[in-house]
């Protein structure tokens, strides 16, 4: 049996520590190379909105993975209170950022990581909180669903991190792990409270207004 030691404040039974893991490394290749973290949203960088959503939903601590223009993002965005880590291999795809993020969570005592993407401002605290509420144990595997289709955020119990990190390559992210363990995945319908669009192309920028 493994024992978990917490250096953090004592966790109240029934409210496990679930870390928010925000993947914000993308270079916005189809947006003319504008880093997604710095896209303007309600007068502030988009990454700040994503951090706020995780916090309001109840995640703690919040780890943010930066990549494209990382130094500029640190300079321009208020990420106070977050653990900010850089992914030097961000251009290789989401898988490398997921690995960097999970590595940064080792030793935090978190029972799970809730993974969100910086370019999905249509997903707010209500949807994230629903996914958090489905956590049961360090083996939990939960994802938001939109009209039955799996989307983000995704919650990975801590017992799954090593396998996810080992299989996350390119833009696959956690898809290999999710495919292997599809029977264990709990889907939480969120289409009534969130929209799962991405900001990928210039026309998408209108959704930030």
């Amino acid at each position: 049996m493994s024992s978990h030691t917490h250096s953090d404040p004592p966790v109240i039974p029934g409210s496990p520590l679930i870390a928010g893991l925000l993947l914000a490394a993308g270079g916005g290749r189809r947006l003319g190379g504008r880093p997604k973290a710095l896209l303007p949203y309600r007068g502030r960088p988009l990454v700040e909105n994503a951090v706020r959503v995780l916090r309001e939903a109840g995640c703690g601590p919040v780890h943010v993975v930066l990549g494209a223009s990382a130094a500029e993002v640190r300079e321009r965005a208020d990420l106070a209170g977050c653990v900010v880590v850089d992914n030097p291999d961000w251009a290789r795809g989401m898988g490398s950022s997921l690995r960097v993020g999970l590595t940064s969570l080792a030793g935090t005592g978190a029972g799970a990581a809730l993974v969100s993407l910086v370019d999905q401002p249509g997903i707010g605290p209500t949807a994230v909180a629903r996914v958090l509420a489905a956590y049961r144990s360090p083996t939990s595997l939960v994802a938001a669903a939109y009209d039955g289709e799996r989307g983000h955020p995704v919650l990975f119990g801590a017992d799954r991190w090593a396998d996810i990190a080992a299989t996350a390559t390119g833009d696959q992210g956690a898809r290999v792990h999710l495919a292997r363990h599809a029977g264990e995945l709990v889907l939480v319908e969120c289409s009534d409270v969130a929209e799962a669009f991405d900001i990928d192309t210039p026309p998408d920028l209108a959704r930030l207004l």
Side-chain angles (χ1 to χ4, degrees):
M1 291 176 63
S2 62
S3 62
H4 296 278
T5 56
H6 294 273
S7 56
D8 299 279
V11 176
I12 301 163
S15 63
L17 190 68
I18 299 179
L21 179 53
L22 175 62
L23 304 185
R29 182 171 45 85
R30 287 179 285 173
L31 293 168
R34 300 165 69 185
K36 290 187 175 184
L38 288 177
L39 292 174
Y41 182 64
R42 297 177 180 173
R44 296 298 304 165
L46 188 56
V47 67
E48 290 182 15
N49 173 73
V51 168
R52 177 189 61 80
V53 167
L54 290 174
R55 288 210 172 108
E56 288 186 8
C59 291
V62 174
H63 287 223
V64 181
V65 180
L66 300 180
S69 305
E72 188 184 355
V73 176
R74 286 172 183 267
E75 189 178 309
R76 290 178 48 195
D78 179 5
L79 299 176
C82 298
V83 176
V84 183
V85 291
D86 290 348
N87 173 19
D89 295 324
W90 64 268
R92 295 187 179 183
M94 192 194 301
S96 62
S97 291
L98 184 56
R99 275 201 310 278
V100 167
L102 290 175
T103 299
S104 76
L105 288 172
T108 59
L114 183 132
V115 179
S116 69
L117 308 180
V118 75
D119 67 341
Q120 293 189 321
I123 300 174
T126 304
V128 176
R130 277 191 191 175
V131 175
L132 284 181
Y135 173 86
R136 296 293 178 268
S137 76
T139 62
S140 286
L141 187 63
V142 186
Y146 301 89
D147 297 322
E149 293 292 314
R150 173 172 60 79
H152 282 87
V154 184
L155 182 145
F156 301 115
D159 288 357
R160 298 182 178 273
W161 296 354
D163 184 66
I164 292 168
T167 56
T169 56
D171 269 325
Q172 288 297 304
R175 284 183 205 156
V176 173
H177 185 89
L178 287 164
R180 286 179 183 165
H181 301 276
E184 300 156 48
L185 177 64
V186 175
L187 291 177
V188 179
E189 186 59 47
C190 293
S191 58
D192 59 320
V193 294
E195 291 183 273
F197 59 84
D198 301 316
I199 306 297
D200 282 332
T201 63
D204 297 334
L205 295 173
R207 290 180 176 268
L208 294 175
L209 300 177

